[in-house]
Each structure stands twice: as structure tokens, then as C-alpha cells.
Amino acid sequence: MCPATSNEDIPRGYIIPIGGGEDRERDMQIHRRFVELSGGADAAIVVIPTASMLEETGPDYHRIFSELGAGQVEFLPISRRADCDNPEFADLIDRASGIFMTGGNQLRLSAILGGTLLAQKIRRRNAAGVPVAGTSAGASIMSEHMVAGGSSNAAPAEGNITLAPGMGLTNAVIIDQHFTQRNRLGRLLTATSYNPFLIGIGIDEDTAAFIGPDNVFEVVGSGSVTVVDAGQLTHSSMWDARPGEALSLLGLRLDVLGEGCRYDLTARVAYPPDEHLAFCSLPVSSGDPPPEAEG
Amino acid sequence: MCPATSNEDIPRGYIIPIGGGEDRERDMQIHRRFVELSGGADAAIVVIPTASMLEETGPDYHRIFSELGAGQVEFLPISRRADCDNPEFADLIDRASGIFMTGGNQLRLSAILGGTLLAQKIRRRNAAGVPVAGTSAGASIMSEHMVAGGSSNAAPAEGNITLAPGMGLTNAVIIDQHFTQRNRLGRLLTATSYNPFLIGIGIDEDTAAFIGPDNVFEVVGSGSVTVVDAGQLTHSSMWDARPGEALSLLGLRLDVLGEGCRYDLTARVAYPPDEHLAFCSLPVSSGDPPPEAEG
């Protein structure tokens, strides 16, 4: 399953959606792994704080990644579309070994970055092997189909989710964040039943899915990643349900993955922490050994 | 799949858990179907209001079932264990063609009825073909393993559900009620992962699962029935998770069944409204035709 690493076939970089609310003070294991993947002391990390309206967001991540030993950290003060044409910013993206998108409002992020040269460069850098991470809004925007909003409810219902075009780093998944904390299973069921091609990934706070070049992701953090797979759907009443009518969705698969579990997005199979792809797993951070196979 | 109906092999009666909050004023389709199954104008329905502390509960159901044309309706004012020895009550159960347990507190119900002759008679009547329905607390108590309480949360977690012995009309399922309304998926996932033998049935308000003698149930009402099947579970970290640690549960199956959908508890397969077992389906109430195959 490990992709070839020859020059003709460069594997794409990790895609790392984070569910928001991640630890930024103590172990910072998610950020630590991201820095490690970005090259550690040789890393050149670029932070895009555009989703956030808070002035301190960029500087805050500058502190975090610097503390974790990243060689170089920059944040791009992009607050309008014209900023995306700044050649200095383009140059920083071109030289980045890791890109991080902060939380905030994903529609602000997509409205400002969408269709710009900078967004294209981020996609190309990721395709060339550079890891791209994003938390909360920054996680939602990564997929081709982005969750822009919706209601909190355990039950699926037509119209309880708002989709918008995202950045398109992957089109295999649709990503939701603050998942358990904000009770978002219903809307993720809705999204995956709209088109069962998509695998729904609901990421809890302080939790990340490290999606490798082989389309296998590993869970890192204190929460769970819930995977909704409607690929075996045998029946859906979504298309002809009357407003307010309870839906039928038969044949869904559900996996709840704790830390260390892996999920193969191609085969649509989940693996416990102690199985599968050991030779292909995430690099081990020197400061934060991976959990033992205890579950 | 339809059981034989010879004298030597009497099929057991329907088991009808209702998710609480059912319509008691307008169409009353759930109660209507129950009255029909109990014999309509020839029905002798016995209501057990013991879970409730409200004086009006018994009379209220007396009104409902009478309005719906039941020939005879009685409610048993059982408020302590000694009441269960009342020979008059035993006689009414012996002659009942339908038994209904109201909402309230299922631990009150199990504490007062559990182990009494009356509880044994209810089980025996059901085994002899008499339908038994229960709403809310009255639904929970029906299964061998009863949900006595727990927390509202979308995520599974050890200890987030309290189990107690129930009435044991069926041991194939564990029943939770007010399901979507009170966000109870997490605790139902916990219960089914404790022992994947159990199928978890989460019933929304104003919704019922009519479990037939063939162990196939049909959904009636305005909400959904969520079925959690952990029978294919490939990994669980439940048994060795540390307190507060996010769990891993891999390989769950989930079906969300709207009105008219059926679920075969033996085969663990869900069917849309227009498929399967038409010859064996629920009797049609004259006042309430079944939904067309529109989903």
C-alpha cells in the first residue's frame, strides 16, 4: 500500500484535518507531529490565519510551531482577496515545507482564498509532498465538498447541512469538526447519503486524522474520529422525503476510531492500533512516542 | 419467514416498543394499530400505568383505547409490589388480548413488577400470542437487558449507560427511547459494544417498532428507528480504555429506518418500505392505511 517514492512518482503530502480545540499548551502532540512531518528543525511552516478575525491567531501559531522546534515559521496576514496576489506570500508558499490553516469561519476562508493563485499553489505544494494541516474551519475547507454549516442533531434530515466548494486537497472525504462536542452525526449522515461516494469523517476536538499519501489515515489526539461510510447504502428516502419527514437510510457503516486507529479510505476498512501498515505509519516524534497498542 | 400458526406452535404476540411522546390526540396511528392487533372491537386491553406517578395516566389511556374502538379497556392501579398479588389483576391479565405499559420511570416499573406473578403472566400471555406494547419507560423494560439510565452524548463511553434486568419479552435487542430527541446514540453504541450479541434499537418519539412473531419489526410513526448492529465488530477498546479515554469501535453497522421500513432481527438486515415480507406484514388498520411505497 505504500506509494513509490521515486522521482517520477512523488507521493502527495499528508492532509491533516484537526477537529478544533486542540491542545496548544501542554503536549501539543498534534502540532508536534505536524512539525515533524514538515521537517522539524529544517521546517519552513507557513500559517494562514485568514479564517480567524482575531489578531493574535497568527502570532499564537508562530509561538507554537517555534516552541516545537520548527526552523522557520511565517504567518500570512491575508484578510482580503487582493492579499492573495502578494508575490512575497506566493514565494513563502513556494518554499514552505508545511502549511497550516487556522480555525475561524470556513466560508470566510473559502471566499477569500477560493480561485486565487495562492489556493492553487497550496494544492500544488501538497501534491508535491508538502503536508497541509488545518484546524476547525481550516479542516473543513480541505475537501472538495466543504461543510459550510448546518444544524446540530443526531438525526439525518434533508437540508440540515450546507455544502460549499472547498479547497479540493482530497475529494474522497467530507470533513466535519467539533464533531461529538457539537452533535454533528446527523448532518454528516445527510451529506454522505447525498452521494455515497463520499466518506464522512467527523473529527472530535483535540483530535486529528493524519491522511497519508497512501490514503490511509491515523488518528492522533484525545478524541475520536467517526467514519460514516454510505458506500453499501441499500436504500435512501432522501430524494423524495417530504419536509420534516423522518428519513430512512439503510446499510450505513460506522467506525469510531480512537487514538492510533487507522482507516484505509480506498478499501473503506478500519484497523485497530496494533494492526496494518506498521512499515508505512506516521514518523515517530522524538518528543512524543506513539501510544502503545493498548487501544 | 412467517411462523406456523398451528395449535402446536402458537406464534408469540407482537412486542411493540414506542419511543415516548406519541400522538394521543390526532391520528393516534400507533395506538390504533395496537388496538387492531389486540382484536379491535373484540379487544380486552389492560393498561399498566405503574411507571407513572400521575393519577391521570391510567384514565388517559382508557380514553384513548376506548376512542379507538377497543371492546374493553381496564387499567391496573399497581403502585407497590403487593398489588401484583391481586387475583383480580391476575385474572384481567389472563383474559387480556392486549397489554400496554405506560411511560414514567422504568426502574419504578421493574422494581415493582420484577419477579412477581404478574410479570410472569405478562411474559406468558405474550408467548401465547397476546401483543404487548409499552411507551418510553414501558418500552425500555421489555427487553431482557434494560436501559435504566445514562448520559446524553453522541460518543460512546464506558459507563455512560446504566443497565438493569428488564422484563425479558425479548433478549435479542436492547431498547432506548426518546432517541434522537435526547441524543442517545452514544450510550446505545456503548451497550451494543458491551456484548455485540445485542442489537440496539433507538426509537424516536411518536415512533414504534412493531416486532412481529417472526422477529421482523416494522416502523410506524413520524420519527425514525435507529438500529445499531455491532455483530460485525472487528475491534473494541471498551474493555481496557482508561477513564475518559476516547473509545475505538470498528465495524459497526447503522440503519436509520423511517416509517414502513422493516428490520429482520434474525438476519440483521434492513428493508425499505416496498420490499420484503408483504404477506407477513402488519394487519392494515381500516382507519389508517399503510404508507405507499414512497419512502
Side-chain angles (χ1 to χ4, degrees):
Chain A
M1 295 293 295
C2 294
T5 51
S6 70
N7 285 342
E8 290 100 297
D9 189 9
I10 299 168
R12 73 151 169 74
Y14 272 81
I15 299 168
I16 308 157
I18 307 164
E22 71 274 18
D23 164 32
R24 304 183 195 179
E25 301 290 342
R26 299 184 306 279
D27 290 343
M28 300 190 284
Q29 61 168 328
I30 295 170
H31 299 134
R32 189 183 300 275
R33 296 243 192 160
F34 169 67
V35 169
E36 199 79 18
L37 281 172
S38 301
D42 297 325
I45 291 175
V46 173
V47 176
I48 299 175
T50 304
S52 172
M53 299 287 281
L54 304 174
E55 297 252 333
E56 65 266 31
T57 302
D60 194 29
Y61 279 100
H62 188 283
R63 168 191 64 80
I64 290 168
F65 295 132
S66 299
E67 274 181 32
L68 292 171
Q72 190 191 338
V73 185
E74 303 281 350
F75 60 92
L76 309 187
I78 298 169
S79 60
R80 54 203 178 105
R81 288 182 69 82
D83 294 333
C84 296
D85 299 327
N86 186 326
E88 194 187 334
F89 294 172
D91 189 52
L92 284 166
I93 294 287
D94 279 340
R95 292 187 287 113
S97 69
I99 298 166
F100 189 94
M101 296 183 289
T102 73
N105 181 326
Q106 58 263 49
L107 277 176
R108 178 174 154 85
L109 190 56
S110 64
I112 292 175
L113 256 69
T116 66
L117 186 68
L118 209 73
Q120 190 186 64
K121 279 184 181 292
I122 294 170
R123 271 198 305 277
R124 288 189 176 166
R125 292 300 288 158
N126 183 241
V130 170
V132 178
T135 187
S136 192
S140 292
I141 201 177
M142 292 176 146
S143 53
E144 179 69 36
H145 298 276
M146 173 177 93
V147 179
S151 57
S152 284
N153 197 318
E158 190 188 351
N160 76 346
I161 191 166
T162 305
L163 298 181
M167 192 174 270
L169 299 180
T170 167
N171 69 355
V173 300
I174 186 161
I175 297 163
D176 214 348
Q177 16 81 356
H178 301 282
F179 191 69
T180 296
Q181 289 76 16
R182 298 188 189 172
N183 196 23
R184 288 173 165 175
L185 178 63
R187 73 190 208 183
L188 194 61
L189 291 174
T190 301
T192 53
S193 68
Y194 279 166
N195 187 335
F197 170 78
L198 289 175
I199 296 174
I201 299 185
I203 308 178
D204 285 355
E205 293 178 0
D206 191 32
T207 308
F210 279 72
I211 307 174
D214 52 1
N215 257 357
V216 175
F217 74 76
E218 178 177 338
V219 177
V220 175
S222 66
S224 297
V225 173
T226 300
V227 177
V228 174
D229 173 14
Q232 306 292 317
L233 200 72
T234 56
H235 173 75
S236 165
S237 65
M238 186 68 76
W239 62 276
D240 68 347
R242 292 178 289 270
E245 190 182 20
L247 288 180
S248 303
L249 297 173
L250 311 186
L252 297 163
R253 290 186 51 103
L254 190 72
D255 296 286
V256 181
L257 289 82
E259 182 154 62
C261 286
R262 293 186 178 81
Y263 190 92
D264 185 330
L265 290 163
T266 309
R268 297 183 177 228
V269 176
Y271 298 91
D274 49 351
E275 278 182 33
H276 190 58
L277 296 176
F279 61 96
C280 195
S281 68
L282 219 53
V284 175
S285 157
S286 53
D288 182 31
E292 295 300 314
E294 291 171 2
Chain B
M1 296 292 294
C2 294
T5 50
S6 71
N7 285 342
E8 290 101 295
D9 189 9
I10 299 167
R12 74 151 167 74
Y14 272 80
I15 299 168
I16 309 158
I18 307 165
E22 70 274 18
D23 164 31
R24 302 184 197 179
E25 301 290 342
R26 301 183 306 279
D27 291 344
M28 301 190 282
Q29 61 168 327
I30 294 169
H31 300 135
R32 190 183 299 276
R33 295 243 191 159
F34 168 66
V35 169
E36 200 77 19
L37 281 171
S38 301
D42 298 325
I45 291 176
V46 172
V47 176
I48 298 174
T50 305
S52 172
M53 299 287 281
L54 304 174
E55 297 250 333
E56 64 266 31
T57 302
D60 195 28
Y61 278 101
H62 189 283
R63 170 192 63 80
I64 291 168
F65 294 131
S66 300
E67 272 181 34
L68 292 170
Q72 190 191 339
V73 186
E74 303 281 350
F75 60 92
L76 309 187
I78 298 169
S79 60
R80 54 203 176 105
R81 288 182 69 82
D83 294 334
C84 296
D85 298 328
N86 187 326
E88 193 186 336
F89 295 172
D91 189 52
L92 284 167
I93 293 287
D94 279 341
R95 293 186 289 113
S97 69
I99 297 166
F100 189 94
M101 295 184 287
T102 73
N105 181 325
Q106 57 264 48
L107 277 176
R108 177 174 154 85
L109 192 55
S110 64
I112 292 175
L113 257 68
T116 66
L117 184 69
L118 210 74
Q120 190 187 64
K121 279 185 180 291
I122 294 170
R123 271 198 304 276
R124 288 189 177 166
R125 292 301 287 157
N126 184 242
V130 169
V132 179
T135 186
S136 192
S140 292
I141 201 176
M142 293 176 145
S143 53
E144 179 69 36
H145 299 276
M146 174 177 93
V147 179
S151 57
S152 284
N153 197 318
E158 191 187 352
N160 76 347
I161 191 165
T162 304
L163 299 181
M167 191 172 274
L169 299 180
T170 168
N171 69 354
V173 301
I174 186 162
I175 297 164
D176 214 349
Q177 16 82 355
H178 301 281
F179 190 69
T180 297
Q181 289 77 16
R182 299 188 189 171
N183 197 23
R184 289 173 163 175
L185 179 63
R187 74 189 206 181
L188 194 61
L189 290 174
T190 301
T192 53
S193 68
Y194 279 166
N195 187 334
F197 170 77
L198 289 175
I199 296 175
I201 299 185
I203 307 178
D204 286 355
E205 292 178 0
D206 191 32
T207 308
F210 279 73
I211 308 174
D214 52 1
N215 257 356
V216 174
F217 73 76
E218 178 177 335
V219 177
V220 176
S222 66
S224 297
V225 174
T226 300
V227 178
V228 174
D229 173 13
Q232 307 292 316
L233 200 73
T234 56
H235 173 75
S236 165
S237 64
M238 185 69 75
W239 62 276
D240 68 346
R242 292 178 288 269
E245 189 182 21
L247 288 180
S248 304
L249 297 173
L250 310 186
L252 297 163
R253 288 185 53 103
L254 190 73
D255 296 286
V256 182
L257 289 81
E259 182 155 62
C261 286
R262 291 186 180 83
Y263 190 92
D264 185 331
L265 290 163
T266 309
R268 298 185 177 225
V269 176
Y271 297 92
D274 50 350
E275 278 181 37
H276 191 56
L277 296 177
F279 62 95
C280 194
S281 67
L282 218 52
V284 175
S285 158
S286 54
D288 182 31
E292 296 300 316
E294 291 172 1

